[in-house]
Amino acid sequence: MTDATASFPPAGVPPACEEMQLLIQADLDGELDAAATAVLAAHLRDCAGCAALQRELANLSGRLHAELRPEAAPASLRRALEARLAPAAAAPPAPGGFRRRLAPLLSFGAGAAIAASLALMLPRTGADPDGELVAGHIRALQPGHLTDVASSDQHTVKPWFDGRIDYAPPVMDFVAQGFPLVGGRLDYIGGRPVAALVYRRDKHPIDLFVWPSQGSAEPVMDTRNGYNVLRWARDGMAFRAVSDLNAKELADFARLWQGAS
Amino acid sequence: MNEAEFARVALPHLDAAYTLARWLLRDPVAAEDVVQDAMLRALTYFAGFRGTNARAWLLQIVRNTAYARMAQRRGVQEEPLDPDGKHEHLADPGGDPEAALQGAEVVSALHRALAALPAELRECVVLRELEEMSYRDIARVTGVPAGTVMSRLFRARQMLLRIGRDAGAKERTA
Ligand SMILES: [Zn+2]
């Protein structure tokens, strides 16, 4: 992304002021701690440029608050969802266009077919979620893309996902067994962020995608575009290992996971 | 899957969900559609929800659903990332395509300026200024580190300030 934004103040911002800009903003956003607030206050006393920026940003926030309001969801949308989610789910179907939109929801019914929810766990992947995972793996093989957090320490990788996705993937290191943890990254599969743990077997990277789902514990091997894809499930999580590693060693990797506690 | 429990947790955030979708998609019909879609998906993920901060959890799903929709419909002219070209368009109050955002209401210059920011910058402003979320929660919704949220917010605000200054200069010379 090219940054065509003019910096402020326009001409020659001194390095000290550049550092102050994010502090000024954080202060206005209520995100600054006491120590940083003191540093900022001292700078603002001596720097007319930063003081002007502070006034401008404060003014902008005030105008945004005054002129823009959160929007109320349309009543039709709220009614349709309320009717759908009410305990008496036998509520009359939503009128008009909502019938079509809500059809998948209504099919969930009280018994909530697990198969249906499984299909929805990886939405928008079309008929070939494995293909999309392999595409994610191939994308990640570009230099510098394999990991967002590079660490062989599971206690570093696991908390990295906290706040980035709405579930906590299990993270294990199998360095002693020849599958060292390399790091983790966030991948987007079907528009949804999914945890990818990255391992290595000799020179072969292994992506292990993990997301909450039920499924068969028994590993199932598949291939896509020359990559092996091994899937299994345990403890409410679905696992997909994707690698150019041979099928036998990838199965060894899966067994380590299944034997781990 | 407890639908009543999901309704209790999720429906209080329906306005926030709709606001975000509306600002991302800039189209009320598509926004309504995306929010329905997102709620459906949220219901299926609800078992994995750990019970902290339902609003950020839900808005993350809304946001991802909206981005998937925008990717589907490149025709909506998402992400041109050409701020200069957009500013010129913005400085001209005539022929205003963003008026559709508020129906027949008069749309302020600031409103139009925000609507014209790249989506990654726009969503940070909406989440911070309209929803009053913390950096940490915005990071969670948008899937980037808090430091990136800060720099995106700052860039967004710089652009809004500059648009305001440009518009002011134009008025004075007119
Ligand atoms: Zn300064």
Side-chain angles (χ1 to χ4, degrees), chain B residues 104-137:
Chain B
E105 282 175 49
V106 175
V107 175
S108 74
L110 185 60
H111 191 135
R112 276 183 285 131
L114 178 57
L117 292 187
E120 286 84 359
L121 305 187
R122 197 188 321 142
E123 65 189 354
C124 287
V125 175
V126 169
L127 294 173
R128 172 66 218 138
E129 299 283 15
L130 275 74
E131 299 300 334
E132 302 187 342
M133 293 181 100
S134 67
Y135 291 168
R136 186 189 154 88
D137 284 352

mmCIF file of all heavy atoms in Angstrom, chain B residues 104-137:
data_model
loop_
_atom_site.group_PDB
_atom_site.id
_atom_site.type_symbol
_atom_site.label_atom_id
_atom_site.label_comp_id
_atom_site.label_asym_id
_atom_site.label_seq_id
_atom_site.Cartn_x
_atom_site.Cartn_y
_atom_site.Cartn_z
ATOM 1 N N ALA B 104 -32.272 9.772 1.899
ATOM 2 C CA ALA B 104 -32.495 11.142 1.454
ATOM 3 C C ALA B 104 -31.844 12.165 2.383
ATOM 4 O O ALA B 104 -31.839 13.348 2.099
ATOM 5 C CB ALA B 104 -33.994 11.414 1.367
ATOM 6 N N GLU B 105 -31.291 11.674 3.506
ATOM 7 C CA GLU B 105 -30.698 12.623 4.438
ATOM 8 C C GLU B 105 -29.529 13.365 3.800
ATOM 9 O O GLU B 105 -28.841 12.854 2.937
ATOM 10 C CB GLU B 105 -30.150 11.880 5.658
ATOM 11 C CG GLU B 105 -31.205 11.483 6.653
ATOM 12 C CD GLU B 105 -30.568 10.655 7.765
ATOM 13 O OE1 GLU B 105 -29.542 11.091 8.309
ATOM 14 O OE2 GLU B 105 -31.095 9.577 8.051
ATOM 15 N N VAL B 106 -29.314 14.537 4.305
ATOM 16 C CA VAL B 106 -28.145 15.283 3.865
ATOM 17 C C VAL B 106 -26.918 14.659 4.511
ATOM 18 O O VAL B 106 -26.898 14.387 5.704
ATOM 19 C CB VAL B 106 -28.267 16.759 4.278
ATOM 20 C CG1 VAL B 106 -26.991 17.502 3.923
ATOM 21 C CG2 VAL B 106 -29.466 17.386 3.613
ATOM 22 N N VAL B 107 -25.924 14.391 3.708
ATOM 23 C CA VAL B 107 -24.729 13.735 4.209
ATOM 24 C C VAL B 107 -23.630 14.779 4.343
ATOM 25 O O VAL B 107 -23.356 15.525 3.412
ATOM 26 C CB VAL B 107 -24.302 12.607 3.259
ATOM 27 C CG1 VAL B 107 -22.992 12.006 3.725
ATOM 28 C CG2 VAL B 107 -25.383 11.550 3.197
ATOM 29 N N SER B 108 -23.014 14.818 5.503
ATOM 30 C CA SER B 108 -21.994 15.828 5.739
ATOM 31 C C SER B 108 -20.721 15.506 4.955
ATOM 32 O O SER B 108 -20.496 14.374 4.533
ATOM 33 C CB SER B 108 -21.675 15.889 7.232
ATOM 34 O OG SER B 108 -20.926 14.762 7.598
ATOM 35 N N ALA B 109 -19.902 16.544 4.784
ATOM 36 C CA ALA B 109 -18.639 16.342 4.083
ATOM 37 C C ALA B 109 -17.774 15.334 4.828
ATOM 38 O O ALA B 109 -17.085 14.514 4.224
ATOM 39 C CB ALA B 109 -17.909 17.686 3.962
ATOM 40 N N LEU B 110 -17.840 15.385 6.139
ATOM 41 C CA LEU B 110 -17.045 14.457 6.946
ATOM 42 C C LEU B 110 -17.504 13.018 6.721
ATOM 43 O O LEU B 110 -16.709 12.090 6.603
ATOM 44 C CB LEU B 110 -17.173 14.848 8.421
ATOM 45 C CG LEU B 110 -16.304 14.065 9.403
ATOM 46 C CD1 LEU B 110 -14.830 14.233 9.076
ATOM 47 C CD2 LEU B 110 -16.600 14.513 10.837
ATOM 48 N N HIS B 111 -18.807 12.865 6.657
ATOM 49 C CA HIS B 111 -19.400 11.554 6.396
ATOM 50 C C HIS B 111 -18.887 10.999 5.059
ATOM 51 O O HIS B 111 -18.466 9.851 4.955
ATOM 52 C CB HIS B 111 -20.919 11.728 6.368
ATOM 53 C CG HIS B 111 -21.677 10.448 6.379
ATOM 54 N ND1 HIS B 111 -22.759 10.234 7.181
ATOM 55 C CD2 HIS B 111 -21.513 9.305 5.671
ATOM 56 C CE1 HIS B 111 -23.230 9.014 6.970
ATOM 57 N NE2 HIS B 111 -22.496 8.436 6.049
ATOM 58 N N ARG B 112 -18.905 11.867 4.060
ATOM 59 C CA ARG B 112 -18.443 11.426 2.733
ATOM 60 C C ARG B 112 -16.964 11.120 2.745
ATOM 61 O O ARG B 112 -16.502 10.171 2.111
ATOM 62 C CB ARG B 112 -18.754 12.506 1.691
ATOM 63 C CG ARG B 112 -20.169 12.407 1.153
ATOM 64 C CD ARG B 112 -20.413 13.431 0.069
ATOM 65 N NE ARG B 112 -20.572 14.755 0.644
ATOM 66 C CZ ARG B 112 -19.949 15.837 0.224
ATOM 67 N NH1 ARG B 112 -19.109 15.759 -0.790
ATOM 68 N NH2 ARG B 112 -20.140 17.004 0.807
ATOM 69 N N ALA B 113 -16.217 11.931 3.489
ATOM 70 C CA ALA B 113 -14.770 11.698 3.568
ATOM 71 C C ALA B 113 -14.481 10.337 4.191
ATOM 72 O O ALA B 113 -13.638 9.576 3.703
ATOM 73 C CB ALA B 113 -14.114 12.806 4.384
ATOM 74 N N LEU B 114 -15.205 10.021 5.240
ATOM 75 C CA LEU B 114 -14.995 8.730 5.901
ATOM 76 C C LEU B 114 -15.397 7.581 4.973
ATOM 77 O O LEU B 114 -14.692 6.574 4.863
ATOM 78 C CB LEU B 114 -15.802 8.682 7.206
ATOM 79 C CG LEU B 114 -15.745 7.379 7.998
ATOM 80 C CD1 LEU B 114 -14.296 7.014 8.345
ATOM 81 C CD2 LEU B 114 -16.580 7.476 9.265
ATOM 82 N N ALA B 115 -16.520 7.760 4.284
ATOM 83 C CA ALA B 115 -16.995 6.707 3.386
ATOM 84 C C ALA B 115 -16.001 6.429 2.260
ATOM 85 O O ALA B 115 -15.968 5.337 1.703
ATOM 86 C CB ALA B 115 -18.355 7.095 2.807
ATOM 87 N N ALA B 116 -15.164 7.425 1.944
ATOM 88 C CA ALA B 116 -14.235 7.268 0.827
ATOM 89 C C ALA B 116 -12.880 6.713 1.249
ATOM 90 O O ALA B 116 -12.047 6.415 0.401
ATOM 91 C CB ALA B 116 -14.040 8.613 0.120
ATOM 92 N N LEU B 117 -12.649 6.554 2.539
ATOM 93 C CA LEU B 117 -11.354 5.992 2.956
ATOM 94 C C LEU B 117 -11.269 4.528 2.550
ATOM 95 O O LEU B 117 -12.287 3.851 2.436
ATOM 96 C CB LEU B 117 -11.209 6.078 4.486
ATOM 97 C CG LEU B 117 -11.060 7.445 5.130
ATOM 98 C CD1 LEU B 117 -10.771 7.285 6.618
ATOM 99 C CD2 LEU B 117 -9.954 8.254 4.481
ATOM 100 N N PRO B 118 -10.050 4.023 2.351
ATOM 101 C CA PRO B 118 -9.905 2.580 2.131
ATOM 102 C C PRO B 118 -10.524 1.806 3.301
ATOM 103 O O PRO B 118 -10.476 2.274 4.440
ATOM 104 C CB PRO B 118 -8.386 2.376 2.099
ATOM 105 C CG PRO B 118 -7.821 3.714 1.758
ATOM 106 C CD PRO B 118 -8.769 4.735 2.314
ATOM 107 N N ALA B 119 -11.096 0.645 3.003
ATOM 108 C CA ALA B 119 -11.864 -0.101 4.006
ATOM 109 C C ALA B 119 -11.061 -0.374 5.273
ATOM 110 O O ALA B 119 -11.592 -0.286 6.381
ATOM 111 C CB ALA B 119 -12.350 -1.416 3.397
ATOM 112 N N GLU B 120 -9.776 -0.679 5.124
ATOM 113 C CA GLU B 120 -8.959 -1.017 6.302
ATOM 114 C C GLU B 120 -8.796 0.178 7.229
ATOM 115 O O GLU B 120 -8.569 0.009 8.426
ATOM 116 C CB GLU B 120 -7.566 -1.533 5.897
ATOM 117 C CG GLU B 120 -7.549 -2.944 5.343
ATOM 118 C CD GLU B 120 -7.878 -2.978 3.867
ATOM 119 O OE1 GLU B 120 -8.144 -1.901 3.284
ATOM 120 O OE2 GLU B 120 -7.886 -4.082 3.303
ATOM 121 N N LEU B 121 -8.828 1.369 6.665
ATOM 122 C CA LEU B 121 -8.727 2.571 7.500
ATOM 123 C C LEU B 121 -10.107 2.962 8.023
ATOM 124 O O LEU B 121 -10.273 3.338 9.182
ATOM 125 C CB LEU B 121 -8.117 3.729 6.700
ATOM 126 C CG LEU B 121 -6.756 3.474 6.037
ATOM 127 C CD1 LEU B 121 -6.219 4.767 5.427
ATOM 128 C CD2 LEU B 121 -5.749 2.899 7.016
ATOM 129 N N ARG B 122 -11.089 2.853 7.151
ATOM 130 C CA ARG B 122 -12.455 3.239 7.506
ATOM 131 C C ARG B 122 -12.955 2.438 8.707
ATOM 132 O O ARG B 122 -13.544 2.982 9.641
ATOM 133 C CB ARG B 122 -13.362 2.976 6.298
ATOM 134 C CG ARG B 122 -14.687 3.672 6.322
ATOM 135 C CD ARG B 122 -15.572 3.174 5.174
ATOM 136 N NE ARG B 122 -14.839 2.943 3.947
ATOM 137 C CZ ARG B 122 -15.083 1.932 3.102
ATOM 138 N NH1 ARG B 122 -16.053 1.079 3.344
ATOM 139 N NH2 ARG B 122 -14.361 1.775 2.017
ATOM 140 N N GLU B 123 -12.715 1.131 8.691
ATOM 141 C CA GLU B 123 -13.266 0.293 9.762
ATOM 142 C C GLU B 123 -12.648 0.663 11.106
ATOM 143 O O GLU B 123 -13.316 0.610 12.133
ATOM 144 C CB GLU B 123 -13.045 -1.193 9.460
ATOM 145 C CG GLU B 123 -11.595 -1.628 9.441
ATOM 146 C CD GLU B 123 -11.426 -3.059 8.932
ATOM 147 O OE1 GLU B 123 -12.428 -3.741 8.697
ATOM 148 O OE2 GLU B 123 -10.264 -3.474 8.781
ATOM 149 N N CYS B 124 -11.378 1.066 11.105
ATOM 150 C CA CYS B 124 -10.750 1.455 12.372
ATOM 151 C C CYS B 124 -11.436 2.689 12.953
ATOM 152 O O CYS B 124 -11.683 2.764 14.159
ATOM 153 C CB CYS B 124 -9.258 1.733 12.172
ATOM 154 S SG CYS B 124 -8.278 0.249 11.906
ATOM 155 N N VAL B 125 -11.748 3.652 12.095
ATOM 156 C CA VAL B 125 -12.414 4.873 12.564
ATOM 157 C C VAL B 125 -13.823 4.547 13.069
ATOM 158 O O VAL B 125 -14.249 5.025 14.122
ATOM 159 C CB VAL B 125 -12.481 5.925 11.443
ATOM 160 C CG1 VAL B 125 -13.285 7.133 11.888
ATOM 161 C CG2 VAL B 125 -11.079 6.344 11.026
ATOM 162 N N VAL B 126 -14.539 3.720 12.320
ATOM 163 C CA VAL B 126 -15.905 3.370 12.729
ATOM 164 C C VAL B 126 -15.892 2.658 14.079
ATOM 165 O O VAL B 126 -16.680 2.974 14.979
ATOM 166 C CB VAL B 126 -16.578 2.483 11.651
ATOM 167 C CG1 VAL B 126 -17.879 1.887 12.170
ATOM 168 C CG2 VAL B 126 -16.833 3.306 10.394
ATOM 169 N N LEU B 127 -14.974 1.712 14.242
ATOM 170 C CA LEU B 127 -14.939 0.945 15.489
ATOM 171 C C LEU B 127 -14.503 1.818 16.663
ATOM 172 O O LEU B 127 -14.980 1.671 17.774
ATOM 173 C CB LEU B 127 -14.011 -0.268 15.345
ATOM 174 C CG LEU B 127 -14.494 -1.321 14.349
ATOM 175 C CD1 LEU B 127 -13.433 -2.396 14.131
ATOM 176 C CD2 LEU B 127 -15.793 -1.968 14.816
ATOM 177 N N ARG B 128 -13.590 2.743 16.409
ATOM 178 C CA ARG B 128 -13.097 3.602 17.478
ATOM 179 C C ARG B 128 -14.091 4.731 17.786
ATOM 180 O O ARG B 128 -14.477 4.921 18.933
ATOM 181 C CB ARG B 128 -11.726 4.176 17.088
ATOM 182 C CG ARG B 128 -11.159 5.227 17.984
ATOM 183 C CD ARG B 128 -10.811 4.694 19.372
ATOM 184 N NE ARG B 128 -11.160 5.722 20.348
ATOM 185 C CZ ARG B 128 -11.743 5.522 21.514
ATOM 186 N NH1 ARG B 128 -12.026 4.303 21.894
ATOM 187 N NH2 ARG B 128 -12.025 6.505 22.305
ATOM 188 N N GLU B 129 -14.513 5.457 16.786
ATOM 189 C CA GLU B 129 -15.278 6.679 17.048
ATOM 190 C C GLU B 129 -16.777 6.423 17.203
ATOM 191 O O GLU B 129 -17.427 7.098 17.979
ATOM 192 C CB GLU B 129 -15.059 7.701 15.922
ATOM 193 C CG GLU B 129 -13.612 8.141 15.753
ATOM 194 C CD GLU B 129 -13.154 9.147 16.819
ATOM 195 O OE1 GLU B 129 -13.839 9.286 17.842
ATOM 196 O OE2 GLU B 129 -12.113 9.790 16.604
ATOM 197 N N LEU B 130 -17.318 5.485 16.450
ATOM 198 C CA LEU B 130 -18.750 5.213 16.579
ATOM 199 C C LEU B 130 -19.028 4.152 17.641
ATOM 200 O O LEU B 130 -19.950 4.284 18.429
ATOM 201 C CB LEU B 130 -19.347 4.778 15.232
ATOM 202 C CG LEU B 130 -19.762 5.917 14.304
ATOM 203 C CD1 LEU B 130 -18.549 6.584 13.703
ATOM 204 C CD2 LEU B 130 -20.688 5.420 13.221
ATOM 205 N N GLU B 131 -18.214 3.113 17.652
ATOM 206 C CA GLU B 131 -18.445 2.035 18.609
ATOM 207 C C GLU B 131 -17.627 2.201 19.884
ATOM 208 O O GLU B 131 -17.799 1.449 20.839
ATOM 209 C CB GLU B 131 -18.138 0.680 17.957
ATOM 210 C CG GLU B 131 -19.007 0.368 16.737
ATOM 211 C CD GLU B 131 -20.501 0.338 17.060
ATOM 212 O OE1 GLU B 131 -20.854 0.073 18.221
ATOM 213 O OE2 GLU B 131 -21.301 0.619 16.147
ATOM 214 N N GLU B 132 -16.696 3.150 19.871
ATOM 215 C CA GLU B 132 -15.870 3.451 21.036
ATOM 216 C C GLU B 132 -15.167 2.218 21.586
ATOM 217 O O GLU B 132 -15.130 1.965 22.784
ATOM 218 C CB GLU B 132 -16.715 4.144 22.105
ATOM 219 C CG GLU B 132 -17.340 5.425 21.557
ATOM 220 C CD GLU B 132 -18.055 6.248 22.625
ATOM 221 O OE1 GLU B 132 -18.358 5.700 23.689
ATOM 222 O OE2 GLU B 132 -18.270 7.447 22.376
ATOM 223 N N MET B 133 -14.601 1.442 20.692
ATOM 224 C CA MET B 133 -13.881 0.238 21.108
ATOM 225 C C MET B 133 -12.432 0.574 21.424
ATOM 226 O O MET B 133 -11.857 1.517 20.895
ATOM 227 C CB MET B 133 -13.929 -0.818 19.990
ATOM 228 C CG MET B 133 -15.313 -1.370 19.732
ATOM 229 S SD MET B 133 -15.296 -2.628 18.439
ATOM 230 C CE MET B 133 -15.322 -4.104 19.445
ATOM 231 N N SER B 134 -11.833 -0.254 22.271
ATOM 232 C CA SER B 134 -10.413 -0.105 22.607
ATOM 233 C C SER B 134 -9.551 -0.604 21.447
ATOM 234 O O SER B 134 -10.010 -1.352 20.585
ATOM 235 C CB SER B 134 -10.090 -0.923 23.861
ATOM 236 O OG SER B 134 -10.228 -2.298 23.571
ATOM 237 N N TYR B 135 -8.296 -0.175 21.435
ATOM 238 C CA TYR B 135 -7.366 -0.658 20.402
ATOM 239 C C TYR B 135 -7.329 -2.190 20.388
ATOM 240 O O TYR B 135 -7.287 -2.824 19.341
ATOM 241 C CB TYR B 135 -5.947 -0.134 20.669
ATOM 242 C CG TYR B 135 -5.769 1.353 20.481
ATOM 243 C CD1 TYR B 135 -4.600 1.982 20.931
ATOM 244 C CD2 TYR B 135 -6.726 2.147 19.862
ATOM 245 C CE1 TYR B 135 -4.404 3.350 20.771
ATOM 246 C CE2 TYR B 135 -6.542 3.501 19.697
ATOM 247 C CZ TYR B 135 -5.380 4.107 20.148
ATOM 248 O OH TYR B 135 -5.182 5.448 19.982
ATOM 249 N N ARG B 136 -7.317 -2.745 21.573
ATOM 250 C CA ARG B 136 -7.217 -4.192 21.691
ATOM 251 C C ARG B 136 -8.419 -4.880 21.035
ATOM 252 O O ARG B 136 -8.269 -5.865 20.303
ATOM 253 C CB ARG B 136 -7.139 -4.551 23.179
ATOM 254 C CG ARG B 136 -6.894 -6.002 23.465
ATOM 255 C CD ARG B 136 -7.062 -6.285 24.953
ATOM 256 N NE ARG B 136 -7.428 -7.674 25.162
ATOM 257 C CZ ARG B 136 -6.543 -8.640 25.295
ATOM 258 N NH1 ARG B 136 -5.268 -8.370 25.305
ATOM 259 N NH2 ARG B 136 -6.927 -9.891 25.447
ATOM 260 N N ASP B 137 -9.601 -4.328 21.272
ATOM 261 C CA ASP B 137 -10.791 -4.936 20.675
ATOM 262 C C ASP B 137 -10.837 -4.711 19.164
ATOM 263 O O ASP B 137 -11.266 -5.581 18.408
ATOM 264 C CB ASP B 137 -12.059 -4.382 21.323
ATOM 265 C CG ASP B 137 -12.281 -4.985 22.710
ATOM 266 O OD1 ASP B 137 -11.542 -5.912 23.063
ATOM 267 O OD2 ASP B 137 -13.185 -4.521 23.420
#
